[in-house]
Every structure is written in structure tokens, then in C-alpha cells.
């Protein structure tokens, strides 16, 4: 009976898992030596929610219509997307329909917890007061009795109280691995897909404390060894987990994107105001999130949603509720904005490696409300800040609280099991390859028309996605 276990380590980068911390991670280092591994190219954008949704469905963010945590509905406003917004079946649906038992644990987005042929658990977007965080109800009752309340995340990780964050980080990771081991032992699923948010939270809170290459790193700081301690702890949790699965199980250890030091942020809406593309009804008295009611739409041609990248939207006549940009003005305006963003210098006046891209050039399809332009500032070294009233174009930090890390293009792929033994380093595996790989492992036929290829036996890795 084919079995597969996916261990998703959110935000785990090759530089830490394959190099810097390889010595304190004997279990994952052994899996790499004995099986297959590679740098796993993430989606555009390399952001948690679209990336895991793409990995689990085999569809890119354009096909899914998920361009970030928040997405546009009918008007100008963006709202947080949920599991209901994933309109394609995910790998556990196909495997369940083939008569096998599945477990989908904490995989974003999975609130509400999806009904599956087995068990499922809500992801980190599960509201604190959610009545239902697990499927089916008897599974939720068992978890509450044995492990207490649902702990899908590290609460308040963008804050200054680092000792509390550290304690919550280790405790909540242990909680989730205990739940995972309970599921493996008691439910014995054929396919288990588990995501651990801890590495992402470690990076956002502590990257500058443990990464010697971070510009804000201070040698001898009290959190200098927290990275090594956490990754060693994670490796031990994985080792204890693998002891519970049958020897011929295919084990995949993957991440949704990588991590790199955050050098600062670009206030993208401030730039659009300064250059006359965005007009506010009144100047804000201090930093404020940009909401549609603040904008004078009768004069606004473009505005942006911030985050790891900027999503720039044009105010197009007939498409937006109060659009003013005529259809034939769209292309020249996009070209003008591309030049504006790509020529913006760094705070020191040096050129930045900024790239502005059209969704139609990057995705196979675009559903929902794609931006008109996707802007990655300085090759993801700098974040896009969406707030207005910041008083500058360049800022040294995030506009939402302390943060040390930005997402990076490459995550990790490690695989062990009969179809991977002795394969070694893979060239160019892509996140979209994970879905067809899992279906092949499980002996379930794969839907046609996918961008990804199965990586089993070291095959595939024929990238059809453009390089960033
Ligand atoms: Zn992530």
C-alpha cells in the first residue's frame, strides 16, 4: 500500500537547512544523503497562502486567483481569503476519492477545516474563537481532550517581547508535532500533509539575531543561538515522527518559500501619491492603512496593496466602480509605472534589482482580480509598504511591527522512500512539481494540463514556469 508523509516547514530556506544548520539536523541531512533534494523554486509571489494552495492543488496563483493573503472582491476592498476560495481540488481530495485515507493538517488555507476522507485541521488563519477547527467533530473532541485548545500558530510574533515569543515558538511547534504523531499512530492515513509554521515565525522574529549575514546582526546578542537550537529541535521532532511511519513510506520535507534578511521597505503608495497617480481626499496626519474611502477616485489612476511584493491596480473605466483610466490608456500607463518602479534607487542612491511584471506573462491563467502590475522591490530585499502618511519613500522596517525577514524565491525539497533512494540533488524542482509527485507516489492518476512534473526517481523537473 503506497503511503506518503509531507512535512511542510514554512519558510525554511536552503541556506539554513542544507548548509548553516545541516550539522545540527542529523535526520534531514541523512534523508538528503540517502534520497533526493534540491532548491524548490516557489510561486509568484512567494507568499504562504498562495504557495501552499498551489503546492496542494498543482495550480499556480493566477489559476487559483489567489495573489496574497488578501484578495479583491467586487469593489476596491481586499479581504482575507479562506479555504472556500480554493476552487480546485487538492491532493487529499484526489487521494480520498481513490478510496484512501488522508490527513490534511494545518495546510494553508484550511479554515474552515476541509471535509476529507479522513481528518483535517485548520491552518494558522483559524480564528481564535472558531467553534470548528477540525474535521470530523469526533476528531476535534479527541484533540481537545488529549492536547487542549487548537494551536495553529505562534500568537503575536511581530512584537518586541522576544522571550515570550521564543517560549511560544518551541511549545507550539511541539504541540503540533504531538498532534501529528497522534494522527499517524491512531488514524494511520495513507497520505498525510502537515504544515509547521514555526520556522516562518522564528525568521520574522529572530532572523537578525541569529543570521550572521543580516545587516542588523549583533555578535553576542542573547538570541544568537536561537536559530540553531530551533532547527535542531525541529529535526528531533521530525526524527521522532518518522519512527512512527512504515519503512516504505515516501517522506517529503518541503517549504513554500525561502527567507532572506529584510533590508527595509518601499512606501509604494507614498510614491504613487508623490508622482501624482494616487490622490487622497485629505492628507493623513500620521501612518495609516490605505482604505478605499480615503481615496479620491475621480483623480486616482493607480494604487497598491503592500506586503512582500506590491500589487499595483489601475483605476480602469468600466472595470472599477469609479474608474477613470480608459482601456487604451492601460498599456502606456503600465509601461510608465514599470519605469517608475524599476528605476527607483536605493536609500543610498544605488540601483535596486526591482522587477515589475504583468500577471499575464507569469501565469497560465488569471482568475479573480489579478493586479495590473506585480512589483518585487530589490529582488525581495525590500518589502512593499502599503500605508500612507509614512513621510518617506524608503523606511528601514515594516509598517506593521518589528520584522527581520523577507521571503525569498527558493524553499527546500527533500524526499526519501523507494522512488527517491540514491537520486541525489535535483536540478530545478518547482513547487508545482510536488502535486504530480504525490499523486504518482500514491498511485492515483493525475489531472491533465498541469505545469508541474513528477519528481519521482529524479525525473521531471522540466520547468514550464518562467524564472524570476
Ligand atoms: Zn510561508
Amino acid at each position: 500500500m503506497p503511503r506518503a508523509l509531507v512535512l511542510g516547514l514554512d519558510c525554511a530556506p536552503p541556506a539554513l537547512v542544507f548548509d548553516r544548520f545541516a550539522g545540527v539536523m542529523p535526520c534531514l541531512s541523512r534523508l538528503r544523503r540517502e534520497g533526493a533534494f534540491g532548491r524548490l523554486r516557489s510561486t509568484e509571489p512567494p507568499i504562504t497562502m498562495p504557495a501552499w494552495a498551489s503546492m496542494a492543488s498543482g495550480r499556480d496563483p493566477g489559476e487559483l486567483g489567489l495573489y496574497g493573503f488578501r484578495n479583491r472582491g467586487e469593489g476596491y476592498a481586499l479581504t482575507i481569503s479562506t479555504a472556500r476560495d480554493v476552487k480546485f481540488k487538492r491532493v487529499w481530495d484526489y487521494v480520498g476519492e481513490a478510496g484512501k485515507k488522508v490527513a490534511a493538517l494545518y495546510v494553508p488555507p484550511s479554515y474552515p477545516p476541509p471535509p476529507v476522507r479522513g481528518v483535517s485541521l485548520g491552518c494558522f488563519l483559524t480564528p481564535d474563537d472558531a467553534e470548528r477547527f477540525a474535521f470530523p467533530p469526533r476528531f476535534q473532541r479527541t484533540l481537545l481532550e488529549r492536547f487542549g485548545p487548537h494551536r495553529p500558530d505562534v500568537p503575536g510574533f511581530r512584537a518586541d517581547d522576544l522571550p515570550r515569543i521564543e517560549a511560544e515558538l518551541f511549545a507550539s511547534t511541539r504541540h503540533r508535532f504531538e498532534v501529528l504523531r497522534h494522527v499517524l499512530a491512531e488514524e494511520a492515513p495513507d497520505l498525510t500533509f502537515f504544515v509547521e509554521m514555526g520556522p516562518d515565525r522564528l525568521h520574522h522574529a529572530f532572523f537578525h539575531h541569529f543570521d550572521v549575514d543580516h545587516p542588523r546582526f549583533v555578535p553576542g546578542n542573547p538570541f544568537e543561538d536561537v536559530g540553531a537550537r530551533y532547527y535542531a529541535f525541529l529535526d528531533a521532532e521530525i526524527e521522532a515522527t518518522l519512527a512512527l511511519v512504515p519503512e516504505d513510506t515516501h517522506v517529503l520535507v518541503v517549504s513554500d518559500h525561502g527567507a532572506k534578511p529584510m533590508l527595509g521597505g518601499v512606501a509604494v503608495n507614498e510614491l504613487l501619491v508623490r508622482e501624482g497617480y494616487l490622490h487622497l481626499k485629505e492628507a493623513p496626519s500620521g501612518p495609516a492603512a490605505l482604505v478605499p474611502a480615503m481615496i479620491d477616485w475621480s483623480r486616482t489612476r493607480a494604487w497598491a496593496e503592500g506586503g512582500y511584493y506590491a500589487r499595483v491596480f489601475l483605476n480602469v473605466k468600466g472595470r472599477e466602480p469609479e474608474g477613470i483610466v480608459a482601456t487604451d490608456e492601460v498599456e502606456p500607463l503600465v509601461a510608465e509605472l514599470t519605469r517608475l518602479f524599476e528605476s527607483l534607487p536605493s536609500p543610498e542612491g544605488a540601483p535596486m534589482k526591482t522587477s515589475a511584471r504583468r500577471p499575464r506573462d507569469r501565469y497560465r491563467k488569471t482568475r479573480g482580480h489579478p493586479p495590473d502590475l506585480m512589483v518585487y522591490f530589490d529582488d525581495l530585499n525590500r518589502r512593499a509598504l502599503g500605508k500612507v502618511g509614512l513621510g518617506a519613500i524608503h523606511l528601514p522596517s515594516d509598517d506593521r511591527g518589528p520584522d527581520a525577514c523577507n521571503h525569498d524565491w527558493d524553499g527546500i525539497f527533500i524526499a526519501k522512500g523507494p522512488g527517491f533512494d540514491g537520486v541525489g540533488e535535483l536540478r530545478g524542482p518547482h513547487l508545482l512539481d510536488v502535486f504530480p509527485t504525490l499523486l504518482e507516489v500514491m498511485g492515483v492518476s493525475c489531472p491533465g494540463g498541469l505545469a508541474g512534473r513528477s519528481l519521482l526517481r529524479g525525473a521531471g523537473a522540466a520547468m514550464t514556469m518562467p524564472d524570476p
Side-chain angles (χ1 to χ4, degrees), residues 10-11 47-49 52 197 200 256-257 407:
D10 199 289
C11 199
I47 295 181
T48 302
M49 198 232 271
W52 288 118
M197 283 308 289
D200 184 84
D256 53 339
H257 51 76
H407 289 181

Side-chain angles (χ1 to χ4, degrees), residues 18-364:
F18 296 170
D19 297 319
R20 175 113 188 264
F21 297 143
V24 298
M25 305 186 76
C27 178
L28 287 195
S29 295
R30 178 175 55 80
L31 295 191
R32 270 197 297 136
R33 262 195 321 277
E34 296 175 358
F37 71 99
R39 300 172 70 93
L40 191 68
R41 176 53 49 93
S42 184
T43 46
E44 285 198 39
I47 295 181
T48 302
M49 198 232 271
W52 288 118
S54 290
M55 197 189 288
S57 69
R59 311 288 173 164
D60 71 36
E63 293 176 280
L64 293 171
L66 297 173
Y67 305 95
F69 285 105
R70 298 176 353 119
N71 288 283
R72 278 181 74 184
E74 285 316 304
Y76 290 107
L78 288 89
T79 53
I80 291 181
S81 294
T82 72
R84 291 193 187 95
D85 298 307
V86 182
K87 302 300 185 194
F88 286 90
K89 287 196 281 189
R90 289 186 273 180
V91 62
W92 48 79
D93 298 315
Y94 288 94
V95 172
E97 283 167 12
K100 298 170 197 292
K101 192 168 179 188
V102 302
L105 310 175
Y106 309 108
V107 189
S110 56
Y111 182 79
V116 295
R117 193 170 189 278
V119 296
S120 77
L121 266 180
C123 69
F124 73 104
L125 294 167
T126 307
D128 288 343
D129 59 351
E131 236 170 76
R132 277 193 50 222
F133 61 82
F135 174 89
R138 62 105 191 139
F139 177 54
Q140 175 162 319
R141 283 193 298 275
T142 307
L143 292 187
L144 281 170
E145 277 165 26
R146 293 208 191 176
F147 303 100
H150 190 42
R151 293 176 80 173
D153 201 355
V154 177
F157 65 94
R158 274 198 188 92
D160 287 319
D161 50 347
L162 294 181
R164 177 198 61 83
I165 296 172
E166 184 189 336
E168 301 247 25
L169 171 68
F170 282 78
S172 72
T173 293
R174 166 144 301 153
H175 169 95
R176 289 185 287 276
F177 272 92
E178 281 173 352
V179 169
L180 168 63
R181 288 193 285 268
H182 162 82
V183 168
L184 292 170
E186 304 292 321
E187 306 284 339
D190 299 301
L191 167 69
T192 303
F193 200 133
F194 166 84
V195 170
E196 169 53 41
M197 283 308 289
D200 184 84
R201 291 1 187 172
L202 168 82
H203 301 158
H204 286 301
F206 295 103
F207 215 61
H208 53 316
H209 291 297
F210 72 80
D211 183 56
V212 289
D213 297 325
H214 199 290
R216 287 194 277 141
F217 176 75
V218 179
N221 80 77
F223 298 100
E224 199 172 0
D225 69 342
V226 70
R229 277 193 292 112
Y230 181 77
Y231 272 95
F233 165 78
L234 202 52
D235 194 72
E237 291 292 333
I238 292 170
E239 181 128 55
T241 304
L242 296 189
L244 299 179
V245 301
E247 186 59 29
D248 61 350
T249 301
H250 282 87
V251 178
L252 272 62
V253 183
V254 292
S255 60
D256 53 339
H257 51 76
K260 60 170 20 179
M262 180 177 136
L263 303 185
V266 175
V268 57
N269 282 318
E270 294 277 77
L271 182 64
L272 291 172
V273 168
R274 188 185 80 181
E275 298 297 320
Y277 296 101
L278 167 61
H279 293 269
L280 303 179
K281 288 175 184 161
E282 52 186 274
S285 54
L290 183 68
V291 295
M294 292 158 67
I295 297 175
D296 176 357
W297 294 107
S298 70
R299 297 196 293 149
T300 288
R301 290 183 290 159
W303 85 104
E305 167 78 356
Y308 296 103
Y309 77 135
R311 278 181 275 175
V312 181
F313 295 99
L314 304 189
N315 191 23
V316 180
K317 210 181 281 179
R319 190 186 74 179
E320 267 72 24
E322 299 172 64
I324 62 163
V325 177
T327 315
D328 62 355
E329 292 165 358
V330 167
E331 287 305 319
L333 185 52
V334 165
E336 203 176 298
L337 289 169
T338 300
R339 283 193 297 276
L340 170 71
F341 294 123
E342 292 189 345
S343 65
L344 184 75
S346 75
E348 297 78 30
M352 294 199 295
K353 289 168 284 179
T354 297
S355 164
R357 303 168 185 177
R358 305 292 313 263
R360 66 172 186 216
D361 299 333
R362 313 306 291 184
Y363 299 128
R364 293 151 64 86

Side-chain angles (χ1 to χ4, degrees), residues 14 18 32 36-40 411-415 424-429:
F18 296 170
R32 270 197 297 136
F37 71 99
R39 300 172 70 93
L40 191 68
I412 58 163
F413 179 88
I414 301 173
E425 185 165 7
L426 297 165
R427 294 288 161 201

